[in-house]
Amino acid sequence: MSKPQAAIHPRVLVFDSGIGGLSIAGCIHQALPSVPLVYLADSAGFPYGGQPEAVVVERSVRLIGEVLATLPCDIVVVACNTASTVVLPALRAMTDTPVIGVVPAIKPAAALSRNRRIGLLATPATVTRPYLAELIEAHASDCLIERVGHPDLVCWIEGLMADEKLPSKELGSALQPFRDARVDTVVLGCTHYPLVMPLLKELLPGVLHWVDSGEAIARRVAWLLAQAGQDCSDSRSSCSQPMERVLFTGPLPEGLAGFLAGLGLSTGQLSGNWPRPENEQGQ
Ligand code: DGL
Protein backbone atom coordinates (compact mmCIF):
# COMPACT_ATOMS: atom_id res chain seq x y z
CA MET A 1 0.00 0.00 0.00
CA SER A 2 1.44 3.42 -0.93
CA LYS A 3 2.09 5.89 1.87
CA PRO A 4 -0.81 8.34 2.24
CA GLN A 5 -0.06 11.99 1.34
CA ALA A 6 0.49 14.39 4.25
CA ALA A 7 -2.51 16.61 4.98
CA ILE A 8 -2.45 19.88 2.96
CA HIS A 9 -3.95 21.83 5.85
CA PRO A 10 -2.71 20.63 9.19
CA ARG A 11 -5.15 18.19 10.65
CA VAL A 12 -5.10 16.76 14.16
CA LEU A 13 -6.42 13.37 15.20
CA VAL A 14 -7.83 13.23 18.73
CA PHE A 15 -8.37 9.74 20.15
CA ASP A 16 -10.17 8.47 23.24
CA SER A 17 -12.22 5.47 24.32
CA GLY A 18 -15.32 7.68 24.47
CA ILE A 19 -16.36 11.32 24.67
CA GLY A 20 -13.72 12.36 27.22
CA GLY A 21 -11.23 13.43 24.57
CA LEU A 22 -13.74 16.10 23.57
CA SER A 23 -12.51 18.12 26.56
CA ILE A 24 -9.06 18.09 24.96
CA ALA A 25 -10.45 18.70 21.46
CA GLY A 26 -12.26 21.77 22.84
CA CYS A 27 -9.00 23.20 24.19
CA ILE A 28 -7.18 22.52 20.90
CA HIS A 29 -9.97 24.25 18.99
CA GLN A 30 -9.84 27.27 21.35
CA ALA A 31 -6.10 27.63 20.79
CA LEU A 32 -6.06 26.74 17.08
CA PRO A 33 -9.48 27.55 15.63
CA SER A 34 -8.31 27.12 12.04
CA VAL A 35 -7.12 23.54 12.50
CA PRO A 36 -9.60 20.83 11.50
CA LEU A 37 -9.89 17.95 13.94
CA VAL A 38 -10.71 14.31 13.40
CA TYR A 39 -12.17 12.62 16.48
CA LEU A 40 -11.93 8.88 17.00
CA ALA A 41 -13.73 7.22 19.92
CA ASP A 42 -13.25 3.51 20.48
CA SER A 43 -16.69 3.32 22.03
CA ALA A 44 -16.95 -0.41 21.18
CA GLY A 45 -13.96 -0.96 23.50
CA PHE A 46 -15.11 1.49 26.20
CA PRO A 47 -14.22 1.71 29.07
CA TYR A 48 -10.49 1.20 28.63
CA GLY A 49 -10.07 1.25 32.42
CA GLY A 50 -11.73 -2.18 32.51
CA GLN A 51 -9.63 -3.69 29.70
CA PRO A 52 -6.33 -5.59 29.98
CA GLU A 53 -3.36 -3.43 28.94
CA ALA A 54 -2.64 -5.61 25.88
CA VAL A 55 -6.18 -5.07 24.58
CA VAL A 56 -5.90 -1.30 24.99
CA VAL A 57 -2.58 -1.28 23.13
CA GLU A 58 -3.78 -3.53 20.30
CA ARG A 59 -7.05 -1.65 19.74
CA SER A 60 -5.56 1.85 19.94
CA VAL A 61 -2.69 1.10 17.57
CA ARG A 62 -4.91 -0.69 15.03
CA LEU A 63 -7.67 1.93 15.01
CA ILE A 64 -5.36 4.95 14.89
CA GLY A 65 -3.43 3.22 12.08
CA GLU A 66 -6.66 2.79 10.14
CA VAL A 67 -7.57 6.47 10.45
CA LEU A 68 -4.10 7.63 9.43
CA ALA A 69 -4.20 5.37 6.36
CA THR A 70 -7.28 7.16 5.00
CA LEU A 71 -7.18 10.61 6.65
CA PRO A 72 -3.54 11.65 7.00
CA CYS A 73 -3.03 13.77 10.09
CA ASP A 74 -0.11 15.92 11.23
CA ILE A 75 -0.41 15.04 14.91
CA VAL A 76 -2.05 12.27 16.90
CA VAL A 77 -3.30 13.20 20.37
CA VAL A 78 -4.06 10.24 22.61
CA ALA A 79 -6.63 12.17 24.66
CA CYS A 80 -7.06 9.37 27.18
CA ASN A 81 -4.95 9.03 30.31
CA THR A 82 -5.75 5.33 30.63
CA ALA A 83 -4.49 4.57 27.12
CA SER A 84 -1.57 7.01 27.27
CA THR A 85 -0.07 5.23 30.28
CA VAL A 86 0.48 2.09 28.16
CA VAL A 87 0.18 2.74 24.42
CA LEU A 88 2.67 5.49 23.50
CA PRO A 89 5.76 3.34 22.69
CA ALA A 90 3.76 0.98 20.41
CA LEU A 91 2.05 3.89 18.70
CA ARG A 92 5.30 5.72 18.04
CA ALA A 93 6.74 2.51 16.62
CA MET A 94 3.73 2.20 14.28
CA THR A 95 3.73 5.73 12.80
CA ASP A 96 6.06 8.62 11.95
CA THR A 97 3.27 11.07 12.80
CA PRO A 98 4.11 12.87 16.07
CA VAL A 99 2.13 11.43 18.98
CA ILE A 100 1.16 13.41 22.07
CA GLY A 101 -0.10 11.56 25.14
CA VAL A 102 -2.06 12.86 28.11
CA VAL A 103 -0.81 12.08 31.59
CA PRO A 104 -2.20 13.31 34.93
CA ALA A 105 -1.01 16.89 35.50
CA ILE A 106 0.91 16.09 38.70
CA LYS A 107 3.74 18.53 37.95
CA PRO A 108 1.55 21.66 37.52
CA ALA A 109 -0.51 20.59 40.54
CA ALA A 110 2.63 20.38 42.69
CA ALA A 111 3.55 23.88 41.55
CA LEU A 112 0.12 25.20 42.62
CA SER A 113 -0.58 23.40 45.89
CA ARG A 114 0.15 25.48 48.97
CA ASN A 115 -0.51 22.84 51.63
CA ARG A 116 1.22 20.04 49.61
CA ARG A 117 -1.95 17.95 49.71
CA ILE A 118 -3.19 16.95 46.27
CA GLY A 119 -6.14 14.85 45.20
CA LEU A 120 -5.94 12.72 42.05
CA LEU A 121 -9.23 11.69 40.49
CA ALA A 122 -8.77 9.13 37.72
CA THR A 123 -9.87 5.70 36.54
CA PRO A 124 -8.94 2.67 38.69
CA ALA A 125 -6.46 1.64 35.98
CA THR A 126 -4.66 5.00 35.86
CA VAL A 127 -4.22 5.29 39.64
CA THR A 128 -2.39 1.95 39.79
CA ARG A 129 -0.11 2.27 36.72
CA PRO A 130 3.65 2.51 37.38
CA TYR A 131 3.74 5.59 35.12
CA LEU A 132 1.80 7.51 37.76
CA ALA A 133 4.15 6.45 40.55
CA GLU A 134 7.07 7.71 38.42
CA LEU A 135 5.36 11.06 37.83
CA ILE A 136 4.74 11.52 41.55
CA GLU A 137 8.29 10.53 42.43
CA ALA A 138 9.72 12.96 39.85
CA HIS A 139 7.50 15.99 40.48
CA ALA A 140 5.62 15.75 43.75
CA SER A 141 7.68 13.63 46.12
CA ASP A 142 7.09 16.17 48.92
CA CYS A 143 3.29 16.05 48.52
CA LEU A 144 0.64 13.79 49.92
CA ILE A 145 -1.25 12.45 46.90
CA GLU A 146 -4.71 11.17 47.79
CA ARG A 147 -5.88 8.93 44.92
CA VAL A 148 -9.47 8.17 44.03
CA GLY A 149 -9.81 5.68 41.18
CA HIS A 150 -13.50 5.89 40.44
CA PRO A 151 -14.93 2.79 38.72
CA ASP A 152 -18.11 4.37 37.31
CA LEU A 153 -17.59 8.06 36.71
CA VAL A 154 -16.59 7.69 33.04
CA CYS A 155 -19.73 5.62 32.37
CA TRP A 156 -21.90 8.17 34.16
CA ILE A 157 -20.43 10.94 32.02
CA GLU A 158 -21.04 8.96 28.82
CA GLY A 159 -24.64 8.56 30.04
CA LEU A 160 -25.12 12.34 29.96
CA MET A 161 -25.46 12.10 26.18
CA ALA A 162 -28.45 9.81 26.63
CA ASP A 163 -29.87 12.35 29.11
CA GLU A 164 -29.15 10.03 32.04
CA LYS A 165 -28.83 11.83 35.35
CA LEU A 166 -25.42 11.70 36.97
CA PRO A 167 -25.79 10.36 40.56
CA SER A 168 -24.22 13.40 42.19
CA LYS A 169 -24.88 12.22 45.75
CA GLU A 170 -22.95 9.01 45.10
CA LEU A 171 -20.17 10.98 43.46
CA GLY A 172 -20.08 13.37 46.43
CA SER A 173 -19.54 10.41 48.80
CA ALA A 174 -16.82 8.94 46.58
CA LEU A 175 -14.91 12.23 46.85
CA GLN A 176 -14.89 12.13 50.68
CA PRO A 177 -11.19 11.04 50.84
CA PHE A 178 -10.30 14.45 49.32
CA ARG A 179 -12.21 16.27 52.07
CA ASP A 180 -10.66 14.05 54.75
CA ALA A 181 -7.16 14.69 53.41
CA ARG A 182 -7.90 18.47 53.14
CA VAL A 183 -6.47 18.65 49.62
CA ASP A 184 -6.23 22.18 48.20
CA THR A 185 -5.62 21.00 44.63
CA VAL A 186 -7.29 18.29 42.55
CA VAL A 187 -5.86 16.77 39.38
CA LEU A 188 -8.41 15.50 36.89
CA GLY A 189 -6.53 12.44 35.62
CA CYS A 190 -9.16 11.39 33.12
CA THR A 191 -10.20 13.45 30.13
CA HIS A 192 -13.90 12.80 30.75
CA TYR A 193 -13.87 14.69 34.04
CA PRO A 194 -13.46 18.30 32.83
CA LEU A 195 -16.81 17.77 31.07
CA VAL A 196 -18.45 17.85 34.55
CA MET A 197 -16.25 20.50 36.12
CA PRO A 198 -19.15 22.65 37.46
CA LEU A 199 -20.54 19.66 39.38
CA LEU A 200 -17.12 18.71 40.77
CA LYS A 201 -16.57 22.27 41.98
CA GLU A 202 -19.96 22.25 43.64
CA LEU A 203 -19.18 18.97 45.42
CA LEU A 204 -15.76 20.13 46.63
CA PRO A 205 -16.09 23.86 47.29
CA GLY A 206 -12.96 23.95 49.46
CA VAL A 207 -10.60 23.03 46.62
CA LEU A 208 -8.56 26.02 45.42
CA HIS A 209 -7.02 24.63 42.25
CA TRP A 210 -8.42 22.27 39.63
CA VAL A 211 -5.86 21.00 37.18
CA ASP A 212 -6.40 19.17 33.92
CA SER A 213 -4.23 18.66 30.88
CA GLY A 214 -6.30 20.33 28.14
CA GLU A 215 -4.52 23.66 27.79
CA ALA A 216 -1.05 22.12 28.06
CA ILE A 217 -1.90 19.64 25.30
CA ALA A 218 -3.24 22.45 23.09
CA ARG A 219 0.02 24.40 23.61
CA ARG A 220 2.03 21.30 22.71
CA VAL A 221 0.02 20.81 19.52
CA ALA A 222 0.56 24.47 18.56
CA TRP A 223 4.29 24.16 19.27
CA LEU A 224 4.68 20.99 17.18
CA LEU A 225 2.80 22.52 14.25
CA ALA A 226 4.94 25.67 14.47
CA GLN A 227 8.09 23.51 14.52
CA ALA A 228 6.81 21.89 11.33
CA GLY A 229 6.49 25.38 9.78
CA GLN A 230 2.71 25.61 10.18
CA ASP A 231 1.54 28.75 11.94
CA CYS A 232 -2.08 28.06 12.82
CA SER A 233 -2.69 30.75 15.41
CA ASP A 234 -4.70 33.05 13.06
CA SER A 235 -8.21 33.00 14.52
CA ARG A 236 -9.66 34.82 11.47
CA SER A 237 -9.50 31.60 9.46
CA SER A 238 -11.58 29.71 12.04
CA CYS A 239 -13.26 26.49 10.77
CA SER A 240 -17.04 26.70 10.69
CA GLN A 241 -17.11 22.99 11.54
CA PRO A 242 -14.09 22.31 13.73
CA MET A 243 -14.67 18.55 13.68
CA GLU A 244 -13.98 17.41 10.14
CA ARG A 245 -14.96 13.83 11.01
CA VAL A 246 -16.21 12.09 14.13
CA LEU A 247 -15.74 8.33 14.14
CA PHE A 248 -17.19 6.01 16.78
CA THR A 249 -16.35 2.30 16.71
CA GLY A 250 -19.72 1.55 18.32
CA PRO A 251 -23.17 2.93 17.49
CA LEU A 252 -23.46 6.73 17.57
CA PRO A 253 -24.92 7.99 20.85
CA GLU A 254 -28.23 9.71 20.22
CA GLY A 255 -27.38 13.08 21.77
CA LEU A 256 -23.89 13.26 20.27
CA ALA A 257 -24.44 15.97 17.63
CA GLY A 258 -26.07 18.28 20.19
CA PHE A 259 -23.37 17.52 22.75
CA LEU A 260 -20.65 18.42 20.23
CA ALA A 261 -22.39 21.64 19.27
CA GLY A 262 -22.68 22.57 22.98
CA LEU A 263 -18.89 22.29 23.24
CA GLY A 264 -18.41 24.46 20.14
CA LEU A 265 -17.31 21.39 18.17
CA SER A 266 -19.94 21.01 15.50
CA THR A 267 -19.14 18.47 12.85
CA GLY A 268 -19.58 17.81 9.17
CA GLN A 269 -19.65 14.05 9.39
CA LEU A 270 -20.51 11.55 12.09
CA SER A 271 -19.87 7.85 11.52
CA GLY A 272 -20.87 5.05 13.87
CA ASN A 273 -19.80 1.40 13.85
CA TRP A 274 -16.56 2.51 12.23
CA PRO A 275 -14.70 1.14 10.30
CA ARG A 276 -17.29 -0.34 7.98
CA PRO A 277 -16.78 -1.86 4.54
CA GLU A 278 -16.58 0.90 1.92
CA ASN A 279 -19.98 0.15 0.34
CA GLU A 280 -21.66 0.58 3.72
CA GLN A 281 -20.13 3.95 4.61
CA GLY A 282 -22.42 6.73 5.83
CA GLN A 283 -24.24 7.85 8.93
N1 DGL B 1 -11.04 9.44 28.91
C1 DGL B 1 -10.39 8.25 29.38
C2 DGL B 1 -9.22 8.62 30.28
O1 DGL B 1 -8.75 9.75 30.24
C3 DGL B 1 -11.42 7.29 29.87
C4 DGL B 1 -10.94 6.00 30.41
C5 DGL B 1 -11.72 4.75 30.17
O2 DGL B 1 -12.16 4.50 29.03
O3 DGL B 1 -11.79 3.96 31.11
O4 DGL B 1 -8.67 7.84 31.02
Side-chain angles (χ1 to χ4, degrees):
M1 201 170 64
S2 64
K3 207 176 174 233
Q5 297 281 300
I8 301 164
H9 301 293
R11 184 196 272 143
V12 175
L13 171 61
V14 181
F15 171 75
D16 184 28
S17 54
I19 60 165
L22 294 174
S23 68
I24 302 281
C27 290
I28 298 172
H29 177 60
Q30 285 283 319
L32 300 165
S34 64
V35 173
L37 306 175
V38 174
Y39 192 78
L40 170 62
D42 184 12
S43 51
F46 176 88
Y48 273 6
Q51 301 273 19
E53 285 185 28
V55 172
V56 173
V57 173
E58 186 280 322
R59 290 189 71 94
S60 316
V61 171
R62 176 168 48 83
L63 292 165
I64 290 169
E66 291 199 33
V67 174
L68 293 177
T70 50
L71 283 167
C73 292
D74 297 77
I75 295 176
V76 174
V77 177
V78 180
C80 174
N81 291 261
T82 311
S84 293
T85 53
V86 289
V87 81
L88 301 179
L91 209 47
R92 289 181 175 134
M94 182 272 289
T95 178
D96 292 340
T97 307
V99 175
I100 301 174
V102 178
V103 292
I106 295 291
K107 188 178 175 184
L112 286 167
S113 174
R114 283 188 224 150
N115 69 1
R116 319 310 287 151
R117 293 169 169 268
I118 296 172
L120 170 68
L121 184 60
T123 65
T126 298
V127 296
T128 54
R129 294 258 156 86
Y131 198 104
L132 177 71
E134 286 162 25
L135 272 179
I136 293 171
E137 179 57 34
H139 304 295
S141 55
D142 65 328
C143 297
L144 173 133
I145 309 284
E146 185 65 39
R147 303 163 205 208
V148 171
H150 200 287
D152 301 316
L153 187 49
V154 282
C155 299
W156 293 344
I157 294 171
E158 292 280 323
L160 295 176
M161 275 185 306
D163 262 348
E164 284 166 24
K165 237 184 137 15
L166 199 149
S168 47
K169 225 173 147 192
E170 236 171 296
L171 178 58
S173 312
L175 300 176
Q176 189 57 36
F178 292 162
R179 293 185 202 98
D180 295 343
R182 291 181 291 105
V183 303
D184 70 354
T185 302
V186 171
V187 177
L188 299 182
C190 168
T191 54
H192 279 71
Y193 302 165
L195 298 174
V196 292
M197 186 68 111
L199 173 62
L200 291 169
K201 285 187 170 168
E202 199 182 303
L203 294 170
L204 293 173
V207 170
L208 299 176
H209 307 289
W210 292 87
V211 192
D212 68 66
S213 311
E215 284 173 13
I217 296 296
R219 279 196 299 274
R220 180 83 186 144
V221 170
W223 185 83
L224 278 176
L225 289 176
Q227 289 294 105
Q230 292 172 318
D231 178 10
C232 305
S233 52
D234 185 358
S235 58
R236 286 167 304 177
S237 52
S238 177
C239 308
S240 59
Q241 290 187 319
M243 284 286 190
E244 185 181 337
R245 290 285 299 268
V246 174
L247 307 164
F248 271 56
T249 58
L252 288 175
E254 224 168 80
L256 181 61
F259 196 83
L260 286 164
L263 294 170
L265 294 171
S266 56
T267 182
Q269 207 177 340
L270 284 165
S271 308
N273 298 317
W274 185 89
R276 284 190 277 180
E278 231 150 68
N279 53 3
E280 282 181 37
Q281 294 288 327
Q283 296 288 301

